Amino acid sequence: MGKLSKCITRAKILQFGKRHLKRLQAKALFPYGLLSEATLYRVFQNTDNERTADRISVFVDVFRKEICSSATNIMCIDGKVMRSTLYDNGRNPNIVSAYSLRSGLTLTANICKEKSNEIKSLPRLLDKLDVLECIVTADAMSFQKGNNRQD
């Protein structure tokens, strides 16, 4: 939750936790207090972010199918720069995501190493989604030769 609140360093994440500990414990989180910085470091070191994102995407897609009716859904696809994250080379990663207008959920996302990879990421993103009977919108970057398929 700290990372989602734009806390980047472990120290900032722990400060966030301390500020909101009572609220978190009211929701049955951290009943024994916050993790130590060393434990938080081990958690981050052993987390495969791309695999976690893929599993969350599968869950969200199943959830979306359950809450959406049979009417046409609009999926919006766009790429953005992740400002609060840096690669070792100092660049911000780009992320391409698909958003369901009806359910209000981001269905899936792909991380791109560079901006040019956004074009290559779109087919992989669409392969993760069931776009049958959906209207898919995207910007000009996504409509490169070979990306506009109608099957």
Side-chain angles (χ1 to χ4, degrees):
M1 291 173 73
K3 279 191 122 180
L4 292 173
S5 299
K6 299 188 180 181
C7 299
I8 299 170
T9 64
R10 287 188 300 275
K12 294 279 186 186
I13 292 169
L14 290 172
Q15 285 177 350
F16 174 88
K18 287 176 186 174
R19 271 196 316 268
H20 300 285
L21 183 58
K22 289 188 191 260
R23 290 169 64 195
L24 294 168
Q25 287 177 329
K27 299 195 180 301
L29 298 170
F30 304 107
Y32 305 108
L34 296 175
L35 305 172
S36 69
E37 187 169 354
T39 301
L40 193 59
Y41 175 78
R42 286 193 304 275
V43 168
F44 287 156
Q45 288 299 108
N46 295 309
T47 301
D48 182 345
N49 292 331
E50 289 186 33
R51 190 169 176 203
T52 301
D54 286 342
R55 297 305 308 153
I56 290 172
S57 294
V58 169
F59 167 78
V60 168
D61 197 42
V62 169
F63 183 70
R64 177 189 62 87
K65 287 176 185 173
E66 287 182 16
I67 63 172
C68 292
S69 66
S70 61
T72 302
N73 187 19
I74 298 173
M75 287 192 200
C76 310
I77 297 176
D78 196 16
K80 297 289 180 211
V81 174
M82 295 172 57
R83 298 276 181 221
S84 62
T85 305
L86 285 176
Y87 284 130
D88 291 337
N89 64 7
R91 289 184 49 94
N92 296 97
N94 294 302
I95 188 167
V96 179
S97 58
Y99 174 80
S100 169
L101 191 60
R102 182 183 313 125
S103 67
L105 297 171
T106 298
L107 305 175
T108 189
N110 275 347
I111 297 173
C112 307
K113 296 293 182 192
E114 296 182 20
K115 183 69 174 169
S116 63
N117 289 352
E118 184 178 324
I119 298 165
K120 298 173 189 167
S121 184
L122 181 69
R124 290 192 305 268
L125 189 84
L126 289 174
D127 287 343
K128 292 180 182 181
L129 297 169
D130 177 14
V131 294
L132 190 64
E133 298 184 15
C134 290
I135 297 172
V136 179
T137 66
D139 60 9
M141 178 70 93
S142 301
F143 287 101
Q144 301 295 314
K145 187 175 182 178
N147 276 355
N148 53 356
R149 56 184 203 197
Q150 296 180 4
D151 50 27

